[in-house]
Amino acid sequence: MSQTIAARPFTARRRPGRGLSVGLVIIGLVILLRVFAPSAPADTLADTFRDFVTLSISVVIESLPFVFLGIVLSIVVQTWLPEGFLLRRLPKNPVARRVVLSLLGMLLPVCECGNVPLARGLIAKGLTVGESMTFLFAAPILNPVTIITTQQAFGWDSGILVWRIAGGFLIANLIGYIYSRHPKPESLLAPRFQDACALGDHHDAADGKIKRSAGLFTKETSAMLPALFIGAGLAGLIQTAVSREVLVTLGSHPVWSVLALMALAFVVSICSSVDAFFVLSFGATFMPGAIVAFLVFGPMIDIKMLALLRTTFTAKTLMQLTLIVALCSAVLGLAINYVV
């Protein structure tokens, strides 16, 4: 494995259910506060709770097939492809290598949810952290389903599709370059994922492929699903607490429109394969730069995505990534509003 990840002692592992339990307790407390708040009418609270449940379940239902598809593709990469099959076919030049990895998403109809387990598999097979990040952030935007749905929603004349593709490609390669220069790339990864990589390298090689595939499926599912449920719950909770009317009133301002739709993209956590149709309803209210910022920022960073990414990267790394993607998306949106 490139930039070898040293195995951590078993005592350093955290309890698998601790993060899930804490997240569920927090969500439960917030729900109880909203449901039993005396200042709100009973019918309003009931509607709010129904909206929360509906929105949370819709995020899970929308994401789950892609999560399982990503897990299956990850298993194929780790188990069924010949050793070094992918790495041998990538360019040796680091820049060209990252460019090819960012375009790999065009071959995979997987949205951001499924790309997380796939990227985990690529790291386990030898990609560096920077290279896996390049693929991870480019693939949701550069996959064929996303391109087709964006074209169907906005066509070619508006330029939104071209700016989305170009923005996603450039930001993903910028992130890959930045983290390829990191002196200790293994420190970017969550301790439990480091342990999983080390155990896989030492113990899985002798097992049969079917047995190893089943083990990987169980391992990845147990890592991904709790994160997905927590992310979906938080997305539903925030959507019921934040008024969309407030966001819409900001739509005509070149700066606030960009920031408002980026905030909306972070909150709604909608899949990249259908987000173009969702934001199309705001097309008459918000400026083009804001639409592009929504379509670039959302597939890379949203509540659900951060929950999934936390299975692989440290909290500090995720804060850095969020800041970089947010700044780049905002600059792109503002440039379109003011210059184009």
Side-chain angles (χ1 to χ4, degrees):
M1 179 173 170
S2 299
Q3 299 174 337
T4 304
I5 300 172
R8 298 177 64 92
F10 289 109
T11 56
R13 294 186 193 176
R14 293 171 293 179
R15 293 179 183 176
R18 182 177 297 174
L20 175 60
S21 301
V22 172
L24 291 177
V25 168
I26 293 173
I27 294 173
L29 288 175
V30 175
I31 294 173
L32 289 175
L33 286 174
R34 290 187 61 86
V35 170
F36 294 105
S39 60
D43 55 344
T44 302
L45 290 172
D47 290 341
T48 300
F49 181 75
R50 281 196 296 268
D51 290 343
F52 162 75
V53 173
T54 301
L55 291 169
S56 300
I57 292 176
S58 66
V59 171
V60 172
I61 292 175
E62 182 183 72
S63 306
L64 207 54
F66 293 100
V67 171
F68 283 125
L69 178 58
I71 291 173
V72 170
L73 290 174
S74 174
I75 291 171
V76 170
V77 168
Q78 294 186 67
T79 305
W80 295 93
L81 288 182
E83 189 68 30
F85 177 85
L86 178 62
L87 298 180
R88 286 197 303 267
R89 285 159 175 78
L90 292 174
K92 300 299 182 183
N93 179 273
V95 176
R97 191 180 179 92
R98 290 193 294 270
V99 168
V100 171
L101 285 169
S102 63
L103 298 175
L104 186 62
M106 290 188 171
L107 305 177
L108 303 170
V110 182
C111 76
E112 63 268 26
C113 312
N115 283 318
V116 176
L118 181 53
R120 288 163 59 91
L122 292 174
I123 294 175
K125 289 299 288 185
L127 285 190
T128 66
V129 176
E131 290 169 349
S132 68
M133 286 181 176
T134 305
F135 164 79
L136 182 63
F137 289 110
I141 295 175
L142 299 181
N143 82 64
V145 176
T146 300
I147 293 174
I148 291 172
T149 55
T150 306
Q151 194 279 328
Q152 290 294 311
F154 295 100
W156 294 99
D157 297 335
S158 64
I160 288 176
L161 173 60
V162 174
W163 281 114
R164 182 182 201 186
I165 293 174
F169 175 83
L170 292 174
I171 293 174
N173 279 273
L174 174 62
I175 290 173
Y177 172 76
I178 291 173
Y179 284 95
S180 70
R181 313 290 294 179
H182 198 282
K184 295 181 179 180
E186 68 279 359
S187 66
L188 303 170
L189 300 175
R192 288 179 60 198
F193 181 59
Q194 293 185 41
D195 289 344
C197 290
L199 287 173
D201 290 342
H202 287 92
H203 297 288
D204 288 341
D207 294 338
K209 289 185 176 181
I210 295 179
K211 182 179 179 181
R212 187 183 176 198
S213 297
L216 286 172
F217 184 84
T218 301
K219 184 188 301 181
E220 289 295 313
T221 301
S222 63
M224 290 291 109
L225 292 190
L228 175 62
F229 294 147
I230 292 175
L234 289 174
L237 183 63
I238 294 177
Q239 286 186 73
T240 57
V242 178
S243 172
R244 293 190 185 182
E245 287 75 12
V246 174
L247 297 176
V248 173
T249 59
L250 305 174
S252 59
H253 193 281
V255 176
W256 289 114
S257 63
V258 171
L259 299 179
L261 276 195
M262 286 176 59
L264 184 63
F266 182 80
V267 169
V268 297
S269 302
I270 195 168
C271 180
S272 64
S273 60
V274 295
D275 60 357
F277 293 113
F278 172 86
V279 80
L280 180 61
S281 61
F282 296 93
T285 308
F286 283 79
M287 299 182 69
I291 302 293
V292 173
F294 176 95
L295 294 173
V296 171
F297 181 68
M300 295 185 180
I301 298 291
D302 59 32
I303 295 174
K304 173 193 62 188
M305 186 68 168
L306 287 179
L308 293 174
L309 289 174
R310 187 63 183 90
T311 64
T312 307
F313 301 104
T314 64
K316 180 181 178 180
T317 303
L318 294 183
M319 287 190 289
Q320 294 172 348
L321 288 170
T322 301
L323 180 61
I324 294 171
V325 176
L327 288 175
C328 291
S329 301
V331 168
L332 176 63
L334 293 173
I336 294 173
N337 282 346
Y338 280 108
V339 179
V340 178

